[in-house]
Amino acid sequence: MSEPAADDFASRVLDVVESIPAGMVMTYGDVAAAIGSRAPRAVGQVMARFGSEVAWWRVIRSSGLPAAGHEARAIELLTADGTPLTTGADGAVRVDLAAARVR
DNA sequence: ACGGTGACTAACC
DNA sequence: CGGTTAGCCACCG
């Protein structure tokens, strides 16, 4: 079955993402570390499959940029959550990790 | 069982 | 600061 088990890696990732409060974000590496893993890539795989069920836009890259291919969409949701953003001169918007990163 | 792939990261130049 | 290289783990066919 495609339904994940309670102890499945994917469920842990989704659980961490759901635990991210509005207005703050976590990097893929932070989410992986939160579940005791070192695979930010595997976290991205889970997001690509089940991300639609969680606040995927609160999970960004270490660069402060949102998920690749969903940047514009993420910025809208981040703005709605009141996430501190920094706009570049060329219009590139990124999250202020120093202020929004969960600690 | 095996190899390729991916919503990544850190290190290096 | 930006492009490139290598490392990394989990999932799919």
Side-chain angles (χ1 to χ4, degrees), chain A residues 45-69:
Chain A
Q45 286 286 21
V46 175
M47 299 300 299
R49 296 179 51 69
F50 305 96
S52 51
E53 301 207 19
V54 296
W56 58 266
W57 60 90
R58 291 179 192 159
V59 184
I60 62 173
R61 307 182 242 178
S62 62
S63 313
L65 288 170

Side-chain angles (χ1 to χ4, degrees), chain A residues 16 25-35 40 97 101-102:
Chain A
V16 173
V25 298
M26 285 182 73
T27 68
Y28 291 92
D30 285 351
V31 176
I35 66 178
L97 286 172
R101 200 178 193 186
V102 178

Side-chain angles (χ1 to χ4, degrees), chain A residues 1-99:
Chain A
M1 299 183 294
S2 304
E3 296 297 317
D7 285 332
D8 203 54
F9 179 85
S11 292
R12 296 189 186 187
V13 174
L14 297 174
D15 185 48
V16 173
V17 177
E18 287 278 32
S19 69
I20 306 175
M24 299 217 279
V25 298
M26 285 182 73
T27 68
Y28 291 92
D30 285 351
V31 176
I35 66 178
S37 182
R38 306 291 182 252
R41 303 207 57 134
V43 175
Q45 286 286 21
V46 175
M47 299 300 299
R49 296 179 51 69
F50 305 96
S52 51
E53 301 207 19
V54 296
W56 58 266
W57 60 90
R58 291 179 192 159
V59 184
I60 62 173
R61 307 182 242 178
S62 62
S63 313
L65 288 170
H70 298 274
E71 302 162 7
R73 182 66 176 140
I75 296 300
E76 286 185 82
L77 295 162
L78 288 167
T79 304
D81 284 348
T83 307
L85 305 174
T86 59
T87 308
D90 57 350
V93 183
R94 68 177 212 166
V95 178
D96 184 352
L97 286 172

